[in-house]
Amino acid sequence: RILSLERGAADAGTLIHAAFERVAWTDEAGWAFDGEGAARDLCARHGVGASEAESAVRRVSRALESHGVRDVLSRARYDGELELWRERAFAARVGAQGEESLMRGRFDRVVVGRDDLGAIAWCEVIDFKSEADPSGDVRGAAESYRPQMEAYRAALMSMTGVRAEDVRLTLVFVDRGEVVTLGQSSEAAGSEGS
């Protein structure tokens, strides 16, 4: 059985994700979001018109004005040796032995932390949400994405060997400029030993 979490064609959300892919660390010396370069890149890579690309870039630029969004994309948020994955496709076996499925998808952003010996010690999944109602309840919206985020947790556990409690799940609501980190679900806590 194959489970897919992949996005489709170049809709507004895909363009926003592609623009965020250009952001490594917001606190690097001299860092600034290059909106014009991002718009040109979106037109070239995704075959969209200038107005669609510029709209996506405006939304990303507004989100990056938020201290919370800039903070979650900053190097200073973390300690130690890091690896940054942006728009990374994956395939991972998930589920109990004998009932495994192959999960395919794409992580928006994952920060991988390593211990002193270089082994993966923890991960943070950062998922950009562009379709949330800016006037709605952000915590409720975040909880509605829990199944997707828990699937990402399961994939990272399979891929890296980290435990459930060592995978942080964070959502960035682009149009609100808000960040929500989900607590660990009882289901994820119970899967730690599997």
Side-chain angles (χ1 to χ4, degrees):
R1 190 169 66 135
I2 298 176
L3 307 172
S4 181
L5 298 173
E6 296 200 74
R7 290 185 294 276
D11 59 11
T14 300
L15 298 176
I16 286 169
H17 285 86
F20 270 114
E21 184 180 4
R22 297 175 61 93
V23 178
W25 304 112
T26 57
D27 56 350
E28 285 181 330
W31 180 85
F33 181 64
D34 175 14
E36 288 182 21
R40 281 192 305 274
D41 184 54
L42 293 177
C43 289
R45 284 180 41 205
H46 296 278
V48 297
S51 64
E52 293 166 286
E54 289 165 1
S55 174
V57 165
R58 273 193 307 277
R59 290 171 70 186
V60 170
S61 294
R62 277 194 306 267
L64 289 168
E65 291 172 5
S66 160
H67 176 72
V69 173
R70 280 193 319 274
D71 178 61
V72 82
L73 303 177
S74 72
R75 172 69 174 83
R77 177 178 170 91
Y78 310 98
D79 293 321
E81 183 184 341
L82 303 176
E83 185 177 333
L84 178 61
W85 302 349
R86 294 175 283 174
E87 291 298 321
R88 184 170 181 163
F90 69 88
R93 292 210 176 278
V94 297
Q97 192 171 8
E99 297 179 17
E100 291 178 320
S101 297
L102 178 65
M103 181 188 306
R104 292 180 9 175
R106 179 175 299 277
F107 297 117
D108 294 351
R109 184 180 180 101
V110 175
V111 180
V112 177
R114 296 185 178 274
D115 64 19
D116 293 339
L117 300 174
I120 295 175
W122 57 266
C123 301
E124 181 173 16
V125 178
I126 300 167
D127 200 63
F128 301 109
K129 295 300 177 193
S130 56
E131 66 278 355
D133 174 9
S135 63
D137 167 34
V138 71
R139 178 52 70 181
E143 286 297 330
S144 74
Y145 290 110
R146 183 176 288 280
Q148 176 191 9
M149 298 302 285
E150 292 293 346
Y152 288 150
R153 182 192 313 264
L156 280 169
M157 290 169 59
S158 172
M159 293 166 63
T160 66
V162 297
R163 301 171 302 172
E165 66 266 20
D166 295 324
V167 180
R168 186 183 328 178
L169 305 174
T170 301
L171 294 126
V172 173
F173 289 92
V174 174
D175 292 327
R176 291 181 68 121
E178 292 189 44
V179 176
V180 176
T181 298
L182 295 173
Q184 188 170 334
S185 73
S186 57
E187 185 177 304
S191 70
E192 173 188 337
S194 36

